[in-house]
Structures are given as structure tokens and as C-alpha cells.
Amino acid sequence: MSGPELEFFRPRGPWRAPTGAGPGIEECVLAEDPDSGRRTALVRWAPSTDTSAAGVARHDVWEEVYLVEGAMYDLTLDRTFTAGMYACRPPGMPHGPWSTSEGVTMLVITYP
């Protein structure tokens, strides 16, 4: 699996709404390899973002998420997850929906 060769840098954007994302959700793609499908992005949710309308999410890729700052509430699990916490989800694992009162920024890595 290959990807771009990038030495340390400060991500400065652009921040864009991901395809199909609800209001208040933006991402900044850090690295992407279209051949393999591997992708690393910072994702931020504005305060009061709620993904209830989208329901429970499932992906056909692996997803790793590290919460950088803020917190998010899992409406299914009735649990709040805060900065410093990590999730690793295999393909098909149900998760969410989510809400955040204060906003949240996360590092998200996806791969086949």
C-alpha cells in the first residue's frame, strides 16, 4: 500500500463538507491513495451537530478514529466519548448515531 510522501506539516485546509454529510460536518484530507482506498482526514463537527437523521452507520472499509478535542455522544450506546479516546471499527460494524453539544475534532483513517 502506498501513499503520498509527506514530512511534518501543519494542516491548513481546505475544510470541505464530505459527500453525503449532514450540516455542521467538515473534513480536511491529510493524505489519500485512490489506488488502495486508504485515506486519512481530520474531521470536525460544529457544536450542536446531530446525526440522528442518518441513523446507525456501517462502512465497507476499516475505520480508525482518534478524538483530538471535544466530545461526542453515542445515542445508541448512551455514552459520551471524549478527547484522547480511540475506536477501531472493522467493515460492517454498526456505530452511532451521534450528537455533540460542544463540537468535536477527530483524526479518521479508513482503508479496505
Side-chain angles (χ1 to χ4, degrees):
M1 204 178 305
S2 64
E5 187 173 305
L6 301 168
E7 191 50 78
F8 289 102
F9 67 97
R10 288 204 186 275
R12 301 201 190 286
W15 287 89
R16 297 187 173 121
T19 303
I25 299 174
E26 297 179 306
E27 69 177 1
C28 173
V29 177
L30 301 176
E32 188 169 29
D33 180 5
D35 293 336
S36 70
R38 187 172 180 91
R39 189 167 196 267
T40 304
L42 288 171
V43 178
R44 66 183 177 195
W45 293 9
S48 302
T49 297
D50 187 324
T51 68
S52 297
V56 172
R58 287 182 176 81
H59 311 289
D60 57 359
V61 296
W62 282 88
E63 179 182 57
E64 295 184 66
V65 180
Y66 179 79
L67 301 182
V68 177
E69 61 184 12
M72 58 195 314
Y73 174 72
D74 186 309
L75 297 157
T76 300
L77 299 177
D78 189 28
R79 288 187 59 196
T80 298
F81 299 99
T82 58
M85 298 180 99
Y86 167 81
C88 182
R89 301 180 182 125
M93 180 181 164
H95 54 284
W98 307 91
S99 67
T100 178
S101 58
E102 66 187 78
V104 65
T105 300
M106 55 195 109
L107 176 68
V108 179
I109 302 166
T110 56
Y111 48 93

